Amino acid sequence: MGYRAASVLIALGIMGSAMADEVTTSICEYTKLNDRSSLRQKLEDANLDLRTTYDDIRCGDKSPLRVAAESGATDSATFIISKVGKRAITAQDHDGMSALQWAQKRMDSADASSKAKIASVVNLMQSKL
């Protein structure tokens, strides 16, 4: 599947396996699609606090903020940062880079159209520090 959080939600007894998989997949997809409203609604419906579950949510090998940066999803990024705080921007991930460092590196190697999308989220992250 490529999404991780379901096992954490199941282990905590928050929800069953199928529902946990669906919630995690939806969080990642809504982030990518820049659908802040659906992202917020999915978290509310699942009774999840993004601040406490954020570190366990993986979209493939990426954090939700990295997915937002890669997709140029500024509304999703704004929502994530507002709920999780600066930690979403500055915490080191499995590769030793923060979301901001990762996005900057990704932006530097991107083609022109992708560079512009990523830059919008990089600028947002920098403004929140």
Side-chain angles (χ1 to χ4, degrees):
M1 164 182 279
Y3 299 110
R4 185 189 92 204
S7 60
V8 174
L9 299 173
I10 294 164
L12 293 174
I14 294 172
M15 58 188 65
S17 176
M19 184 176 179
D21 284 344
E22 189 271 330
V23 168
T24 303
T25 300
S26 294
I27 289 169
C28 295
E29 288 302 313
Y30 292 145
T31 297
K32 182 178 180 179
L33 295 172
N34 202 28
D35 189 345
R36 179 181 181 160
S37 177
S38 294
L39 178 58
R40 181 185 311 119
Q41 190 63 51
K42 178 56 70 177
L43 290 164
E44 286 178 16
D45 291 348
N47 199 29
L48 292 178
D49 177 12
L50 191 57
R51 184 172 316 235
T52 58
T53 58
Y54 181 78
D55 293 335
D56 296 313
I57 299 171
R58 305 300 296 177
C59 305
D61 66 341
K62 299 176 190 93
S63 68
L65 189 54
R66 287 185 181 196
V67 170
E70 185 173 55
S71 305
T74 54
D75 290 344
S76 294
T78 300
F79 177 75
I80 292 165
I81 294 166
S82 75
K83 296 299 180 187
V84 181
K86 291 181 185 178
R87 170 174 64 92
I89 301 169
T90 60
Q92 289 187 349
D93 209 333
H94 65 282
D95 58 6
M97 289 190 284
S98 68
L100 177 57
Q101 292 167 326
W102 181 90
Q104 288 170 324
K105 183 177 179 183
R106 184 88 174 182
M107 184 176 67
D108 291 342
S109 63
D111 61 43
S113 66
S114 296
K115 190 175 290 217
K117 290 191 310 186
I118 297 168
S120 65
V121 179
V122 167
N123 292 336
L124 171 69
M125 287 192 271
Q126 289 172 330
S127 76
K128 300 296 183 180
L129 295 178

